[in-house]
Amino acid sequence: MATGGGCFIGASLSCADLLVYLYTRVLRVSPATLADPGRDYLFLSKGHDVPALYGTLAELGYIPRERLAQHLRTTDSIYWHPNRAVPGVEFHSGSLGHLLSVAIGVALDIRLRGGANRVWVILGDGELDEGSVWEACLVASALRLDNLAAIVDRNEFQANVRTEELVPLEPIPAKFEAFGWSCRTADGHSFADLEAALGPLSEAPYVAGKPSVVVARTVRGKGLPSIEARADRWFANFTAEEIAGLLEELHGGESRALTSEGLVVR
């Protein structure tokens, strides 16, 4: 998906481990239960990371793997941001800052129906600049939605700039706690760390009556040393030759020299 038009590969690789862990160890959902109101819900609020979600859904049988080849073609809905025409995608996103509010509505509905299922939201750290995120945090706390859990993909980049150089975000955990949430931190690329932080949330909140959040420390472009933590490789449209080399790099090969132009938006 990072060729023939490209995708947000750097940002997607920072949350790939989070998605794999959630879908294989935590979420009570499967291809057979996508219409079951008792399923767990996952909302990818940082919607430009959808290649990681598409890849996870393809690996786990929600969609045919061959469908990924339709990326950006007008004959399919596999494109730069999530679309509900793709099985497993719960809601459209891409305009940052609104999916936590959607998740609140679903979590409230579940509680009113007496359901035991849980609602998860993956937020970008740069997305925390949006005031709508913090408004939603206040509402979730006021409603005591402890069936709601958020994960912040803390890769420390916002587009082409480090977050702390643009609009400083720290201390993130203290801010969530001040807004009435219970917070923990984790290494977003360590399944053992994710097990300790996210595992308990599959059954219960950290604190009864409070929504929960995990700030997951991640690396943009994780797994590809040639693009890791690079400001100009949040989005990439690689050549076919570069893709072949990067796939080898992903599986332990040497870092590759890249000739395609990086994307800088300011």
Side-chain angles (χ1 to χ4, degrees):
M1 286 179 281
T3 189
C7 71
F8 294 90
I9 186 172
S12 296
L13 288 173
S14 74
C15 72
D17 290 326
L18 298 174
L19 287 165
V20 169
Y21 179 81
L22 286 169
Y23 272 96
T24 59
R25 300 297 297 273
V26 174
L27 295 176
R28 291 169 293 191
V29 65
S30 69
T33 61
L34 288 178
D36 184 349
R39 71 188 183 279
D40 284 350
Y41 291 79
L42 175 71
F43 294 98
L44 184 64
S45 192
K46 52 177 305 190
H48 51 284
D49 290 8
V50 76
L53 178 59
Y54 290 154
T56 303
L57 295 175
E59 290 285 349
L60 297 179
Y62 289 77
I63 60 175
R65 294 182 65 176
E66 295 76 21
R67 191 172 175 184
L68 299 182
Q70 301 296 321
H71 185 241
L72 300 185
R73 296 185 184 178
T74 58
T75 53
D76 207 325
S77 302
I78 303 286
Y79 57 86
W80 282 314
H81 292 98
N83 189 300
R84 290 188 64 211
V86 180
V89 175
E90 294 286 5
F91 205 84
H92 305 274
S93 61
S95 178
L96 297 172
H98 74 277
L99 237 57
L100 184 56
S101 296
V102 173
I104 285 173
V106 174
L108 181 59
D109 174 71
I110 290 170
R111 189 173 72 185
L112 292 172
R113 290 188 289 104
N117 41 332
R118 301 186 62 76
V119 181
W120 299 78
V121 185
I122 296 181
L123 299 162
D125 50 2
E127 186 178 6
L128 300 184
D129 287 352
E130 298 284 355
S132 55
V133 170
W134 299 105
E135 292 177 40
C137 285
L138 286 172
V139 172
S141 176
L143 294 174
R144 298 175 60 84
L145 292 177
D146 58 6
N147 59 345
L148 175 66
I151 304 171
V152 177
D153 181 0
R154 182 65 170 126
N155 64 27
E156 299 187 9
F157 275 96
Q158 181 174 351
N160 298 125
V161 187
R162 287 192 176 273
T163 58
E164 303 311 285
E165 297 174 4
L166 186 62
V167 179
L169 295 171
E170 294 295 346
I172 295 175
K175 288 177 180 175
F176 274 100
E177 289 169 354
F179 275 68
W181 288 54
S182 180
C183 183
R184 294 187 186 178
T185 61
D187 179 343
H189 302 302
S190 164
F191 282 5
D193 232 30
L194 293 176
E195 176 70 26
L198 299 180
L201 290 178
S202 63
E203 300 298 334
Y206 291 144
V207 177
K210 287 188 175 185
S212 306
V213 60
V214 174
V215 179
R217 301 180 302 275
T218 61
V219 177
R220 174 183 281 189
K222 179 66 175 178
L224 293 176
S226 60
I227 69 167
E228 281 187 2
R230 282 183 55 172
D232 65 335
R233 292 294 179 179
W234 62 304
F235 179 95
N237 185 20
F238 295 123
T239 66
E241 291 75 18
E242 287 174 324
I243 290 291
L246 288 168
L247 286 171
E248 292 183 12
E249 183 179 324
L250 187 66
H251 291 89
E254 296 181 358
S255 297
R256 300 298 173 126
L258 302 174
T259 58
S260 60
E261 186 175 353
L263 177 64
V264 178
V265 294
R266 77 180 189 100

